Every structure is written in C-alpha cells, then in structure tokens.
Amino acid sequence: MLPVARTESLLLQDIGNELIIYDQDNHSSHCLTPLAVRVWELSNGQNTVNDIAHKLEKEFNLPADSDVDMRGLVYLTLEELERYSLIKEYLRQPATNVIAGMSRRKAIKTATLVGGFALGSMFPMVRSIIAPEPAFAVSKCLADSGKICTQDSDCASNEICKQTDSGKRCKLAVC
C-alpha cells in the first residue's frame, strides 16, 4: 500500500524549513522537521517507500555507498506521522525491525543527517501539542456570571459589579 498523507481539516503554516500543521479534527498542532515535511509531501499515493527514500537521498546528496538508511528513516517518519493521524495509510514495517537492523555507525550518521539524536524516541520527526478548544481558551477576565447587579454586594466575593453593553453585570474582580 502506497503512503497517502492526510490533507483534510488541516491548516498549514511554513516556519523556516519546518511546517506547523494544526489538525482541526483533533485540536492538536504538529511541528514537522524538514525531513518529515518531505516525507509527508511525497506521500501522495504515487510514491512507494523506496521511491521516497531515493528522492530524499538525491535531495540530501547522499553518496551511493552512504551508511545512512534512508528507507528505514522514511518508515520511522511514516510511523510518527501515522501516530498523529497525518498519514491515512501505508504498508507498515515495524520500526523496531528498522532500529534493530541499524548499526551504531549508521545510527550516528543518520542522526547527524536529521540534526540530533534523541534517545528513547529515536529521531523525533514530529513534535505535537494539543490545543485547547476555543471555549477553554477564553480568558477568565472576559467571563461573567451573567448576574445582573446594581452594586458590588450583589455579586460573589471574587466579582465586582461592572457596566457592560447590556447593563450592569457581575464580573471577576481579579484576573
């Protein structure tokens, strides 16, 4: 099965050589490294994992006798993209097989290529956060109890009576 990137309900923003993706369905944001961006872009349903690896080897100007396992790196990246629902489908190869078959020398060269070595997660290609839904992102300073008041004593102890467009209402006193 050829890798197919998900594109529906996503907002994209280029930041330097990285890409920020906001997933409107899951209310999460993802920052893709340059390598992950290229794997995601090349996952168009027309390229195999080998095609993607060969294209990346050319883009990174890797010599034919390089110790970098670009195919394994593509599989690791696809696995991370799938974890965050940014890939619809692809034929999986367990990352543990990729890592287990990678020599120490090859792992260090590959890590140098992608810009660092993160023990435990092995080359994180995607950094993600969950964004709050709009209702939870509202400042408490803007909230009011909706209670009509004429003076501060009509409000709760942490509220004051303030004039609003719709008359006097109880609002939070301290933000």
Side-chain angles (χ1 to χ4, degrees):
M1 193 177 290
L2 300 174
V4 178
R6 181 177 148 233
T7 56
E8 309 82 37
S9 301
L10 300 177
L11 301 175
L12 311 175
Q13 178 68 52
D14 288 315
I15 306 289
N17 59 357
E18 295 182 336
L19 179 68
I20 304 293
I21 299 177
Y22 178 72
D23 185 341
Q24 294 176 308
D25 291 342
N26 298 322
H27 303 290
S28 56
S29 294
H30 312 283
C31 178
L32 277 60
T33 64
L35 183 64
V37 171
R38 289 301 294 143
V39 170
W40 186 73
E41 291 171 343
L42 292 170
S43 297
N44 56 12
Q46 298 177 7
N47 294 311
T48 65
V49 170
N50 287 338
D51 293 338
I52 294 170
H54 291 301
K55 289 178 182 186
L56 292 174
E57 285 170 352
K58 287 180 184 175
E59 287 181 27
F60 283 101
N61 297 319
L62 293 178
D65 62 345
S66 171
D67 282 340
V68 174
D69 179 12
M70 190 58 76
R71 185 172 177 269
L73 201 51
V74 169
Y75 271 113
L76 286 170
T77 304
L78 287 171
E79 190 171 286
E80 280 200 40
L81 290 169
E82 183 188 39
R83 182 180 313 134
Y84 300 111
S85 302
L86 298 175
I87 289 286
K88 288 183 189 177
E89 55 191 48
Y90 74 101
L91 186 59
R92 290 167 189 78
Q93 174 179 329
T96 52
N97 290 347
V98 174
I99 294 168
M102 192 180 293
S103 71
R104 178 181 167 85
R105 180 178 176 187
K106 188 179 283 190
I108 291 170
K109 282 193 172 192
T110 303
T112 303
L113 172 73
V114 298
F117 192 84
L119 292 173
S121 60
M122 193 69 171
F123 317 125
M125 302 296 167
V126 181
R127 294 180 304 260
S128 298
I129 62 166
I130 296 173
E133 293 192 35
F136 295 116
V138 173
S139 168
K140 290 183 179 181
C141 296
L142 300 176
D144 69 48
S145 63
K147 184 177 176 184
I148 298 172
C149 61
T150 56
Q151 56 189 3
D152 290 344
S153 62
D154 295 335
C155 302
S157 62
N158 63 339
E159 295 178 322
I160 58 172
C161 187
K162 289 201 100 162
Q163 183 65 43
T164 66
D165 292 342
S166 60
K168 287 191 163 194
R169 303 266 179 195
C170 294
K171 293 219 174 242
L172 288 174
V174 179
C175 299

